[in-house]
Amino acid sequence: MSRWIARTLASDPPRARSLIVSVWGDALAPHGGVAWLSGLIRLMAPFGMNERLVRTSVFRLARDGWLNAQSRGRRSRYRLTREGARRFEQAHHRIYATPNSDWNGEWEVVLAPPDRATPSARSKLREELAWEGFGTLAPGAYAKPLHGDSALPRIVSALRLESRITVLRAKDDPSLGAASLAARVETAWDLSALASDYRRFLLRFGRVIDAFRSRGAAGNDPAQCFIVRTLLIHGFRRVLLRDPQLPPALLPLDWPGAAAFALCQEFYRLTHKRAEKHLADTLAGDGDRLPPANAAFHRRFGGLD
């Protein structure tokens, strides 16, 4: 396993800031989202990240509004800001929640005429909508299947675009003979590229779980559990957060996203207790006891216990 970890880190070295975001969201956020910088440096060392690189990355995350710093003498402690916590909460639901397959054929449609908002506002709107899985039908026109709670009220309010965009809910009407919204899926979203990324993810991590499974949960090394779980979730996150998570009715029959979720689910259930032990032991060097994980942690991937 050590050789697999070394080969993986050498062949596709993760960017420091991005991996720290994954570690904070996957491991630290469930325990309050707080860490001493010294503990984080120890936690990131097995990924080939030296102290200077971790310090620089954390400084930039604080500068960009993800983290707040608290100084105690020469020591620094970081916690999530309100905006950082909101972003992690958004990502948490998409990464760990069991996909919702229920869909009644209803769509959310956003119309944002170019003459009604500034270029900056339109750019921020496109970014927020893409994050929530909206596809582009045409310039200024976006849509996604509606299932679950809508994120649009929060997005529109945060960007102060209430009077500048139009939000519709619609269903295809086959009697009109026009091209349906469902028929626009391939042009609104690049599903072929996304499927290729999922298959590469499955190829990289598919065999790793066999080694952990063969040793049983209690026989796995806690540090290796934490490192591989982090790399797994980091890789899954990189693909999943670009996935609109369309309902099965709109996806190809051989869609690999479901297999990727199942792989993460099994690995997480197999290793989470040992990985959590490594996390607690590593951070204990700062004199604080790691708070228990919150309830949402134990609901990840449909339930861990």
Side-chain angles (χ1 to χ4, degrees):
M1 188 53 59
S2 297
R3 283 182 291 180
W4 181 90
I5 292 171
R7 286 198 306 269
T8 298
L9 290 172
S11 63
D12 185 20
R15 292 186 298 112
R17 171 180 163 136
S18 182
L19 188 63
I20 288 172
V21 167
S22 291
V23 167
W24 218 292
D26 186 60
L28 298 176
H31 297 278
V34 181
W36 291 101
L37 181 58
S38 53
L40 186 64
I41 289 169
R42 293 193 300 273
L43 204 59
M44 302 307 297
F47 300 97
M49 296 182 186
N50 59 37
E51 179 177 340
R52 181 180 178 182
L53 188 56
V54 175
R55 285 181 180 275
T56 301
S57 299
V58 170
F59 172 80
R60 289 174 178 169
L61 286 168
R63 180 195 63 191
D64 294 341
W66 288 79
L67 302 173
N68 272 332
Q70 298 173 320
S71 297
R72 292 189 183 178
R74 300 179 64 182
R75 304 174 68 200
S76 296
R77 196 179 193 187
Y78 287 85
R79 68 172 61 248
L80 290 173
T81 62
R82 182 177 298 180
E83 176 63 15
R86 182 185 72 81
R87 282 292 191 182
F88 277 124
E89 180 61 29
Q90 283 181 281
H92 179 278
H93 179 76
R94 294 187 66 180
I95 294 170
Y96 304 104
T98 303
N100 183 0
S101 60
D102 294 333
W103 183 52
N104 65 1
E106 192 171 19
W107 294 77
E108 286 185 299
V109 181
V110 177
L111 303 178
D115 59 341
R116 299 296 303 278
T118 66
S120 175
R122 295 200 306 272
S123 176
K124 290 178 181 177
L125 177 64
R126 283 195 303 272
E127 180 181 337
E128 288 287 341
L129 292 178
W131 175 269
E132 293 294 338
F134 280 80
T136 302
L137 300 175
Y142 312 92
K144 70 168 290 187
L146 177 61
H147 51 107
D149 295 332
S150 173
L152 284 178
R154 174 187 57 76
I155 294 172
V156 173
S157 175
L159 298 180
R160 299 180 180 178
L161 291 174
E162 292 90 338
S163 62
R164 299 181 182 276
I165 66 172
T166 301
V167 176
L168 309 171
R169 291 190 177 181
K171 284 190 175 183
D172 286 320
D173 186 347
S175 68
L176 296 177
S180 66
L181 286 170
R184 302 287 300 277
V185 165
E186 290 188 6
T187 56
W189 293 275
D190 190 354
L191 294 184
S192 61
L194 194 60
S196 296
D197 290 341
Y198 270 129
R199 292 189 179 99
R200 280 192 289 271
F201 169 82
L202 289 167
L203 183 64
R204 167 165 289 185
F205 290 98
R207 296 177 184 175
V208 176
I209 195 171
D210 292 334
F212 283 87
R213 190 189 294 119
S214 66
R215 289 181 291 195
N220 286 308
D221 176 71
Q224 290 182 349
C225 288
F226 181 83
I227 294 167
V228 176
R229 187 186 82 177
T230 298
L231 293 174
L232 178 83
I233 294 301
H234 182 65
F236 186 54
R237 165 181 166 264
R238 288 167 64 186
V239 183
L240 185 80
L241 295 185
R242 294 184 288 105
D243 185 349
Q245 295 182 293
L246 300 175
L250 299 176
L251 293 170
L253 293 177
D254 60 347
W255 182 247
F261 181 88
L263 174 66
C264 292
Q265 180 184 58
E266 183 177 0
F267 190 86
Y268 217 98
R269 289 175 174 176
L270 182 65
T271 63
H272 79 276
K273 290 182 180 179
R274 305 291 281 175
E276 290 292 288
K277 181 180 186 307
H278 173 75
L279 177 68
D281 290 348
T282 302
L283 298 184
D286 295 304
D288 290 345
R289 186 175 181 179
L290 186 71
N294 59 25
F297 175 84
H298 295 281
R299 292 195 298 267
R300 287 180 174 182
F301 296 112
L304 300 178
D305 300 323

